[in-house]
Amino acid sequence: MSESTPQTPQNDIPASSTTSRGVGGQDRVAVVLLLLACLLGLLRFWKLGDWSLWIDEAYTFADGSSSPWEGQVWNPLGYQLILWTVDLVGGRADEFSLRLLPAIVGWLCVPLSFWAFRGRIGDRSAALVALLLAVSSWHIYWSQNARFYTFAMAASLLGGGIYLRGMWGGRPLVAMLGILLSVIGAAFHVTAALVVPALCLAPFLPRMRKAAVPPGFWRAWRVILIVALLGGLLATPWLLGALSKHMEDKLTADALRGPAHLMLTSGYFYTPLLGIAAVIGAFWAWIRRDGPTLLAVAVVLLTLGGTLVISTRVLMTAQYTFCLLPWVFFVAVAPLESLGRCRKGQALFWGGAAVLAAPALAGTLLYLTVRQGERPRWRDAYTWVDSAREDGDLILGMGAPIGEFYLGAHSPDLRRTRTVSPLGDWFPEGPRRWNRHDRRIWVVIRPQWLPSLNPDDRLTLESWLASDCRLVKSFPVLMEGRDLELRVYLRG
């Protein structure tokens, strides 16, 4: 691989280096955008404890409370950090305490995204990436979630920023440190590991396009390829083990169902607007031979491609590509820095920023209000049943561990429910057993989950609900594109 001589024509100097400079040479617009992003990032703490837990959050509490370091889970560090935070804020596990640390780390991802990319797309565009991340309802959702996705993203961003500095500085050891930190993200969620091979292979696209890169870039890449090959061989057993565990839970027999589900959910959560902007950014980078953006394009394409391949065997959703979100923003905003380099282009920069940010902010406002955190109202449904039931009544429901969390005095053994009898594709029960005793039965149903039941079990359940039960309460969530409604039926 031959070294390329960097080319920096006058019109390729970042806008932040020529305009709107304040004291100390800082781009004042970038500073304002970054401060605004950090301020809006605080939305992650708004109504943090208001939304009901959902099933995976209940499992975070259950599995974290049952000795996660003894081999019961493959990523115990995330569980332990969340439960340590619960202890620090009083020891009572509730929605706020379980979600507090993911929200803090989610907020940290905002300035971290600016830091990671500022040297490659300019301060102003990097600040715009931070702003888009701050107002992303999808990012806020996972920040307000007792899961580990923001931990994985923070580690991935930290590693990605160091990797970019090492590559453009021609320092292979620094670049390798960045990749190592990205690998650490997989200790929180294995999907962070999907970005690692993409970082190792991404320079192929700038090389294919003969993009200008600094001296030492290709030498650093040679070292990375050699070390990555050895590291990949050593990590293969762990990765295969994590993949095998995921396959046990979500194996799909249809090779097309998984990719279709992944593409549909990714299109929904990334949004068509962001997808179009990213395509435009990728095309612009190809025409301009922009090395940093072409590398970011390759990171996105390689990670998505690897995820699509895995999805032919395992059911994958957009959340497994969550760590890519800042990189997609990188590609989407890259042309705006170029447009802003002349006075007439300032309007285009601000217009493009508004087109990307305004719909995202509107979506966040809906998330925080009528969409009620984009979660089914499990807490409302189960606590309503608890207030209406009488002694001896049976509670039968989907999402039984969530009901157990709210009604079972926070028993840590939520996988073995006692207060709520489970109803789901993993534990279907027939009406003959439910009807053995002449007592009232409360049934909590999420209609969207009915198709996951065995067809015979679904037909039996729906027939029983229609013939023996009556609908007594519904808990809708006003949200387009997703059915989050819960229904409560009563027999007797």
Side-chain angles (χ1 to χ4, degrees), residues 20-164:
S20 301
R21 288 289 186 178
V23 178
Q26 290 184 327
D27 182 354
R28 289 172 296 189
V29 173
V31 171
V32 171
L33 284 175
L34 180 59
L35 291 175
L36 180 61
C38 291
L39 180 63
L40 290 172
L42 295 174
L43 289 172
R44 281 144 186 79
F45 302 97
W46 182 261
K47 295 186 176 182
L48 184 60
D50 283 15
W51 325 123
S52 168
L53 297 182
W54 65 291
I55 190 70
D56 281 6
E57 290 183 291
Y59 286 148
T60 295
F61 173 71
D63 296 339
S65 301
S66 57
S67 304
W69 295 98
E70 296 179 2
Q72 298 181 22
V73 295
W74 58 265
N75 56 339
L77 182 58
Y79 291 90
Q80 191 65 72
L81 289 174
I82 287 177
L83 292 187
W84 278 341
T85 305
V86 171
D87 291 338
L88 285 174
V89 296
R92 183 179 183 275
D94 56 18
E95 294 87 349
F96 180 86
S97 63
L98 288 168
R99 294 169 179 161
L100 180 58
L101 186 59
I104 292 172
V105 178
W107 181 86
L108 289 174
C109 286
V110 173
L112 193 56
S113 65
F114 168 79
W115 171 85
F117 300 143
R118 61 176 301 193
R120 305 281 65 83
I121 52 176
D123 287 2
R124 191 170 298 185
S125 289
L128 183 55
V129 169
L131 179 63
L132 293 174
L133 195 66
V135 298
S136 167
S137 62
W138 194 33
H139 193 272
I140 292 175
Y141 173 84
W142 288 113
S143 298
Q144 294 191 330
N145 223 296
R147 299 298 285 171
F148 324 110
Y149 291 95
T150 57
F151 302 166
M153 179 182 284
S156 184
L157 275 172
L158 180 61
I162 294 175
Y163 163 83
L164 291 173

Side-chain angles (χ1 to χ4, degrees), residues 385-456:
V385 169
D386 189 48
S387 67
R389 66 171 173 159
E390 300 174 358
D391 290 341
D393 288 358
L394 170 67
I395 303 177
L396 177 69
M398 293 179 169
I402 309 172
E404 193 73 16
F405 180 88
Y406 289 116
L407 307 185
H410 288 190
S411 167
D413 194 8
L414 301 183
R415 291 185 180 273
R416 296 182 180 180
T417 60
R418 294 175 175 82
T419 305
V420 180
S421 297
L423 171 64
D425 54 347
W426 60 90
F427 189 26
E429 293 286 340
R432 282 183 295 181
R433 177 174 178 178
W434 303 331
N435 291 338
R436 283 186 305 179
H437 305 286
D438 185 20
R439 61 174 176 172
R440 298 201 308 174
I441 303 177
W442 300 89
V443 189
V444 180
I445 295 289
R446 184 179 177 189
Q448 190 187 40
W449 285 358
L450 289 172
S452 67
L453 294 171
N454 177 284
D456 292 337

Side-chain angles (χ1 to χ4, degrees), residues 352-408:
V355 166
L356 290 172
L361 182 58
T364 289
L365 293 177
L366 290 173
Y367 167 91
L368 293 171
T369 54
V370 296
R371 293 178 180 174
Q372 302 186 62
E374 299 182 4
R375 291 165 173 81
R377 297 164 58 189
W378 294 107
R379 179 180 60 198
D380 293 344
Y382 276 112
T383 54
W384 184 85
V385 169
D386 189 48
S387 67
R389 66 171 173 159
E390 300 174 358
D391 290 341
D393 288 358
L394 170 67
I395 303 177
L396 177 69
M398 293 179 169
I402 309 172
E404 193 73 16
F405 180 88
Y406 289 116
L407 307 185

